[in-house]
Amino acid sequence: MTELEAVQLFKCLADKSRLQIVKSLVREDMYVELLSERLGLSASTVSFHLKKLSEIGAVTSYKTQYYTMYSLDKAAFNLSLLDIIQEESSEAALQAEREQAYRSKVLSSFLDEEGKLRTIPAQRKKRLIVLERIAEEFEEGRVYSEREVNLIIASFHDDFCTIRREMVDEGLLTRENGQYSKVITSPAD
Amino acid sequence: MDDLKAKLDTLHQASLDKSAQLMNEDRGDDAALEKIHGNMYDIARQILQAARKLHADDESAALAFLQQRLGGLVDTWEKARMGAVSRDDTIRIVQEQIKVDTMRDICEIVRGFAGGQDD
């Protein structure tokens, strides 16, 4: 289901009258006058709602000898909410672009021409971006002594103690028995 | 004429109240349809006001003016409804039907008042 279809489905069902109609049709096929009687709505109002439900493929109709019958298209309701929200956003590429642009903007604000940190950002989200940049200097799978860690960080900023501690707190480095290693992150992180 | 105005005001307000209630019940489209209903009473109120201004000294003439205008609106909206039927535009059919039915009801109310005037 595309995002547009999901929005149309949610908008259509975010109406108590239409929800009542759908709840009636899930039990049995019905004609307009029967729905009108059962739900206390005028026949024209029921027709209005059935038209909206048909437009999103939730309801289909067929003619019998006396009536036009309406039935629920159960296939349209077979997706779970989780299925719908797990679909990749149609704006995924744009969102990634925006995120990258923000990261670049933060890094160019806080790093000078030589790549040294002018100041440690006060705002956490910006600080994290800077720390992640520093983490790029560490190899995955390699164990570092505290001295080695300090040297790498010192190439960015003199306060290597604070930055080292922050990198451990933010889960970018792990520390065990005085030794450090880079935390490996999965693509989803 | 004051009684007719009061009647239309009451019906208009009742429609506004019903529309608000439907919105509270998350029946947004039903509320919108009820608003169409209410708008008809509002239109009739405004035409009545114009009729009273035009024929300030002649109530019969004012009523006749009102009936003529309302009747004209019924014809216009009936044509619009038939157009919607020819296009199989269900949504529009329902909307125009509400206008036609409500305006016909209003014409009936006005006829009742005009008949009272003739007595």
Side-chain angles (χ1 to χ4, degrees):
Chain A
M1 181 177 279
T2 66
E3 272 185 357
L4 181 62
E5 286 166 343
V7 168
Q8 285 170 342
L9 176 66
F10 292 144
K11 274 169 99 168
C12 193
L13 294 181
D15 179 284
K16 191 168 179 183
S17 294
R18 281 197 283 278
L19 200 54
Q20 296 299 322
I21 289 171
V22 158
K23 284 182 164 196
S24 294
L25 293 180
V26 79
R27 283 170 171 66
E28 58 177 316
D29 298 355
M30 291 190 180
Y31 52 96
V32 169
E33 286 73 17
L34 182 54
L35 280 165
S36 169
E37 281 290 321
R38 169 184 276 225
L39 302 178
L41 300 170
S42 70
S44 58
T45 300
V46 168
S47 295
F48 177 96
H49 289 304
L50 285 170
K51 178 70 178 177
K52 290 237 168 179
L53 288 164
S54 298
E55 281 171 356
I56 61 153
V59 154
T60 55
S61 64
Y62 58 92
K63 286 193 191 316
T64 64
Q65 190 176 7
Y66 300 110
Y67 299 110
T68 299
M69 301 296 288
Y70 291 85
S71 65
L72 196 70
D73 185 348
K74 289 182 182 167
F77 293 89
N78 253 341
L79 279 174
S80 71
L81 283 175
L82 198 57
D83 292 331
I84 292 170
I85 63 176
Q86 278 180 335
E87 282 276 325
E88 192 186 60
S89 170
S90 60
E91 294 185 354
L94 180 61
Q95 287 167 5
E97 228 177 84
R98 282 194 196 125
E99 194 180 325
Q100 190 51 44
Y102 179 72
R103 291 180 69 86
S104 299
K105 187 178 161 192
V106 168
L107 290 174
S108 67
S109 295
F110 286 93
L111 298 176
D112 64 21
E113 299 76 20
E114 290 160 14
K116 282 186 81 76
L117 200 55
R118 293 189 181 100
T119 176
I120 300 172
Q123 210 180 65
R124 185 179 174 244
K125 67 178 180 181
K126 291 180 181 173
R127 194 164 63 246
L128 189 54
I129 289 171
V130 163
L131 294 176
E132 284 169 353
R133 170 61 191 91
I134 299 172
E136 286 173 14
E137 300 303 310
F138 292 82
E139 287 171 38
E140 285 180 5
R142 183 180 155 182
V143 176
Y144 294 83
S145 67
E146 190 165 287
R147 188 170 176 277
E148 285 171 317
V149 171
N150 292 345
L151 278 171
I152 292 171
I153 297 172
S155 68
F156 286 90
H157 196 274
D158 293 339
D159 189 358
F160 50 80
C161 281
T162 301
I163 291 175
R164 187 187 68 226
R165 195 171 52 244
E166 293 263 347
M167 288 179 78
V168 172
D169 288 346
E170 291 290 357
L172 296 169
L173 293 177
T174 60
R175 180 177 186 270
E176 200 175 328
N177 300 323
Q179 295 190 308
Y180 296 78
S181 53
K182 182 174 179 175
V183 172
I184 297 165
T185 55
S186 66
D189 289 343
Chain B
M1 294 283 270
D2 286 339
D3 288 347
L4 176 57
K5 182 185 178 303
K7 176 82 178 172
L8 292 174
D9 286 345
T10 302
L11 289 168
H12 179 237
Q13 187 58 51
S15 183
L16 287 178
D17 292 344
K18 189 173 177 191
S19 185
Q21 187 195 338
L22 288 166
M23 279 303 291
N24 281 338
E25 291 173 6
D26 294 316
R27 294 179 195 262
D29 281 339
D30 293 355
L33 293 175
E34 183 59 39
K35 253 193 177 170
I36 296 174
H37 191 70
N39 284 345
M40 298 303 102
Y41 295 117
D42 199 30
I43 287 169
R45 287 162 71 212
Q46 288 177 43
I47 298 176
L48 174 60
Q49 193 177 2
R52 290 176 92 173
K53 274 192 186 150
L54 267 172
H55 302 283
D57 299 324
D58 188 346
E59 265 194 16
S60 294
L63 280 170
F65 175 89
L66 178 61
Q67 283 176 297
Q68 194 221 358
R69 282 289 191 274
L70 297 180
L73 287 172
V74 170
D75 292 340
T76 302
W77 288 327
E78 179 57 36
K79 282 192 185 110
R81 193 190 72 83
M82 294 305 297
V85 168
S86 70
R87 294 188 306 273
D88 198 27
D89 185 345
T90 307
I91 307 289
R92 195 65 192 268
I93 291 168
V94 170
Q95 290 166 341
E96 297 302 326
Q97 190 68 60
I98 290 172
K99 289 179 189 173
V100 167
D101 289 348
T102 309
M103 200 47 79
R104 280 189 176 141
D105 288 344
I106 294 170
C107 288
E108 208 40 58
I109 291 168
V110 173
R111 248 193 304 277
F113 275 90
Q117 293 288 317
D118 292 341
D119 289 342

